[in-house]
Amino acid sequence: MHQKILILDFGSQVTQLIARRIREAHVFCEVHPCDVSDEWIRDYARDGSLKGIILSGSHASIYEETTDKAPQVVFELGLPVLGICYGMQAMAHQLGGVVTSGHQREFGHADVRAHGHTALLSGIQDYRTPMGHGMLQVWMSHGDKVTELPPGFKLMASTDSCPIAGMADEERRFYAVQFHPEVTHTKRGAAILERFVLDICGTRADWIMGDYISEAVEKIRAQVGDEEVILGLSGGVDSSVAAALIHRAIGDQLTCVFVDHGLLRLNEGDMVMDMFVGKLHAKVVRVDAADQFLGHLAGVSEPEAKRKIIGREFVEVFKAQALALKASDASKKGAKWLAQGTIYPDVIESGGAKNKKAVVIKSHHNVGGLPEQLGLKLLEPLRELFKDEVRELGVALGLPYNMVYRHPFPGPGLGVRILGEVKKEYADLLRRADAIFIEELHNFVDEATGKTWYQLTSQAFTVFLPVKSVGVMGDGRTYDYVVALRAVQTSDFMTADWAELPYALLKKVSSRIINEVRGINRVTYDVSSKPPATIEWE
């Protein structure tokens, strides 16, 4: 049994990053809604595996009557508690301190001075001032702030604009910080969270993906029994690892359904079949549904509408395949489960955290309740894992490194990389342009690191813009389409910076696309970071 940390989610977009940082320290943790009952938490802690509790951030204000508070039992169990941002304000408010609205919102980098050498921050610093004060470079994102400490607490950290940026009651092992240690912008954030979970909570570091396989296999077998499962195989990392894991658990009870919706990358269909049928010997049904998807997408340009159509048609295809599998063998009961490669970031960006308090950014076709008429139960063995954990799991399962560390590809495929209406002509142009971009990223090696630029970017792709520009080729005038190249670097996909690709690489890609893809005469490069932009354009 894993010792664990409980994270209570108040609706922050970055709550899952707290979990990711803790998992990186090889400590198991779970995220649950902040409004669970006192009784639920007591039951959760009853077996002795719970070693500490973390209160997440939120966009709300703690002093509003309708705002969620932390369950009071959190402060009565005798366990260490860490409050982050709103979690700090909740702790202060509920334990007798004062929280007030700030005159202005503090968002971005800040330098925090540590006070008092508490167990949480002792020895952790980015630099020292000439006065000898230990300083931390952190990320702030708050409007409200604690203006009066609760009884028993002492000042732990401060900034010029936020005099109480951290507080501690070390007798009860309660700690709180106004900044966000979970984001990469807080340089020593991982060290702070590790200090809390490993030293203060005393949790064992035994959460390792190689060991997780046996647990996951056992869980899948217990969940599925002798029933049949169909899985929507896209060829991407998530569905591929899910397929390998489920196949490890139940073998031929799994049938993979590979839907060629006409929005795949160049030659992807053949590559998927070669990998899963030729090498992994899995049962795969290939469905050519390009006409079905493109027909329903005709005339639709709004991004959310396109995503919903693609999601709806996936359901229809799976429903048809489930019925077909049942009819093909009367001795079988037919598929009872629909497996998907849903992972944590999908859930977060859909506002799909269990408490439904996060602000929705965009919908994902593989998240949430499937229509009742589908008649299948949902199996999502990767739902609680982050992308890096999924990759580790894939390698541990024996999948090829190049496949597991392939860049992410959205479930709706090129449907969300073609801005506006989706047409076959656009998809064909985009496929060829994108293949050139990815090929050159593999070809270009960075001399400083010895790695290719494909390895140095976390996600790279081409976007089709439904506009035309004037160009010239030879002595003739052209009036053709425009594409945008997108490449980002990120450790968690919650925030991302655009990749500073070499000019020589961009020049080569642009030249090849314009010369080799008839119909495109202009190439641009996207230099937007996330936030404020998202990684995908739609």
Side-chain angles (χ1 to χ4, degrees):
M1 178 175 63
H2 292 287
Q3 295 179 338
K4 60 196 178 188
I5 299 294
L6 171 63
I7 302 168
L8 292 180
D9 180 18
F10 288 88
S12 168
Q13 288 290 338
V14 294
T15 293
Q16 306 302 337
L17 285 186
I18 305 171
R20 185 176 179 276
R21 300 288 174 248
I22 294 172
R23 300 271 188 89
E24 287 175 347
H26 301 296
V27 172
F28 181 67
C29 60
E30 290 185 326
V31 178
H32 288 278
C34 62
D35 53 5
V36 294
S37 67
D38 283 9
E39 181 181 1
W40 183 92
I41 293 180
R42 290 190 188 280
D43 286 341
Y44 190 78
R46 186 158 284 127
D47 63 4
S49 62
L50 181 61
K51 306 298 288 183
I53 299 173
I54 297 178
L55 309 178
S56 85
S58 172
H59 56 276
S61 294
I62 187 63
Y63 45 74
E64 296 176 356
E65 291 186 9
T66 58
T67 301
D68 287 308
K69 309 296 188 292
Q72 193 59 34
V73 71
V74 165
F75 306 112
E76 299 171 355
L77 289 175
L79 294 173
V81 182
L82 173 64
I84 295 175
C85 195
Y86 179 91
M88 169 171 164
Q89 296 163 15
M91 183 185 292
H93 179 77
Q94 293 178 233
L95 297 180
V98 176
V99 179
T100 59
S101 176
H103 295 297
Q104 62 182 24
R105 181 177 174 82
E106 187 176 18
F107 182 82
H109 292 281
D111 290 298
V112 171
R113 176 187 169 187
H115 294 263
H117 302 292
T118 62
L120 183 67
L121 298 182
S122 179
I124 298 177
Q125 62 184 32
D126 289 303
Y127 67 94
R128 296 187 73 82
T129 69
M131 300 280 294
H133 300 143
M135 303 295 291
L136 291 166
Q137 295 177 316
V138 306
W139 184 262
M140 291 282 195
S141 179
H142 68 100
D144 301 337
K145 56 187 177 182
V146 176
T147 53
E148 184 177 323
L149 292 171
F153 280 77
K154 66 178 182 180
L155 182 65
M156 184 171 68
S158 66
T159 70
D160 291 340
S161 58
C162 185
I164 303 178
M167 62 183 194
D169 180 338
E170 296 210 272
E171 183 176 343
R172 290 186 286 178
R173 296 183 295 172
F174 293 167
Y175 300 87
V177 292
Q178 187 58 67
F179 56 88
H180 287 270
E182 69 272 29
V183 302
T184 55
H185 301 81
T186 297
K187 294 185 176 181
R188 301 285 287 162
I192 293 170
L193 289 172
E194 285 185 17
R195 174 70 58 79
F196 179 72
V197 300
L198 294 176
D199 297 340
I200 294 173
C201 297
T203 315
R204 286 194 305 267
D206 60 1
W207 177 251
I208 301 168
M209 283 297 101
D211 300 336
Y212 173 73
I213 293 175
S214 59
E215 298 176 27
V217 164
E218 182 179 345
K219 184 177 180 180
I220 291 167
R221 288 173 178 168
Q223 194 173 1
V224 172
D226 62 355
E227 295 177 331
E228 298 284 315
V229 178
I230 60 174
L231 177 142
L233 184 61
S234 70
V237 175
D238 303 333
S239 66
S240 297
V241 174
L245 179 60
I246 298 170
H247 189 260
R248 172 78 65 92
I250 61 174
D252 285 346
Q253 289 172 243
L254 171 68
T255 299
C256 297
V257 178
F258 172 54
V259 180
D260 187 343
H261 49 29
L263 301 169
L264 298 171
R265 290 168 285 196
L266 190 66
N267 301 323
E268 183 149 26
D270 293 339
M271 289 188 291
V272 168
M273 295 302 292
D274 178 65
M275 174 59 65
F276 283 91
V277 178
K279 294 183 173 62
L280 297 183
H281 309 295
K283 292 194 300 183
V284 182
V285 177
R286 183 173 183 172
V287 183
D288 183 359
D291 291 343
Q292 177 180 340
F293 278 80
L294 292 173
H296 286 285
L297 288 167
V300 179
S301 60
E302 203 279 320
E304 277 296 289
K306 290 195 296 184
R307 285 178 174 271
K308 285 181 168 58
I309 288 170
I310 293 170
R312 182 192 72 207
E313 295 310 309
F314 262 101
V315 169
E316 292 302 315
V317 171
F318 285 129
K319 185 176 181 181
Q321 289 303 312
L323 293 173
L325 288 170
K326 182 177 181 180
S328 67
D329 188 347
S331 66
K332 292 186 177 181
K333 299 177 182 178
K336 299 294 184 183
W337 294 87
L338 171 63
Q340 296 187 145
T342 307
I343 65 172
Y344 253 157
D346 298 335
V347 178
I348 298 164
E349 290 202 342
S350 298
K354 295 173 183 176
N355 62 0
K356 300 297 182 183
K357 298 180 188 300
V359 177
V360 174
I361 304 299
K362 59 186 177 183
S363 67
H364 288 257
H365 79 272
N366 62 333
V367 175
L370 292 170
E372 292 183 4
Q373 68 269 24
L374 186 61
L376 297 177
K377 294 174 283 188
L378 201 55
L379 178 64
E380 296 177 314
L382 310 180
R383 186 180 178 87
E384 303 298 330
L385 300 184
F386 293 100
K387 178 69 73 173
D388 54 338
E389 292 178 316
V390 172
R391 294 188 197 278
E392 288 179 34
L393 181 61
V395 172
L397 284 164
L399 293 177
Y401 181 91
N402 288 342
M403 183 183 77
V404 171
Y405 281 86
R406 193 179 186 189
H407 288 182
F409 188 62
L414 301 182
V416 292
R417 293 181 177 174
I418 297 171
L419 300 196
E421 182 181 5
V422 178
K423 296 181 180 180
K424 185 178 185 301
E425 172 197 2
Y426 298 167
D428 290 340
L429 291 172
L430 178 56
R431 254 188 286 273
R432 293 166 60 200
D434 186 68
I436 290 170
F437 184 29
I438 299 304
E439 180 182 339
E440 292 302 335
L441 285 170
H442 280 293
N443 289 342
F444 267 69
V445 176
D446 176 60
E447 294 183 0
T449 63
K451 295 182 178 181
T452 69
W453 273 98
Y454 186 84
Q455 294 172 310
L456 292 173
T457 54
S458 307
Q459 190 168 359
F461 54 91
T462 309
V463 179
F464 183 88
L465 309 181
V467 296
K468 288 188 172 183
S469 70
V470 174
V472 60
M473 295 193 75
D475 295 325
R477 174 185 183 274
T478 62
Y479 189 56
D480 289 325
Y481 290 107
V482 182
V483 294
L485 308 179
R486 177 71 158 148
V488 300
Q489 294 172 317
T490 176
S491 62
D492 50 41
F493 289 87
M494 297 300 298
T495 61
D497 293 320
W498 60 276
E500 297 184 27
L501 299 181
Y503 288 151
L505 170 55
L506 291 172
K507 182 178 181 179
K508 180 73 174 293
V509 173
S510 176
S511 177
R512 283 195 60 193
I513 289 174
I514 292 171
N515 282 284
E516 297 177 28
V517 185
R518 188 181 182 92
I520 297 173
N521 72 352
R522 193 175 298 270
V523 176
T524 65
Y525 187 52
D526 180 353
V527 292
S528 308
S529 293
K530 174 187 181 181
T534 55
I535 294 175
E536 297 284 349
W537 278 41
E538 288 191 344

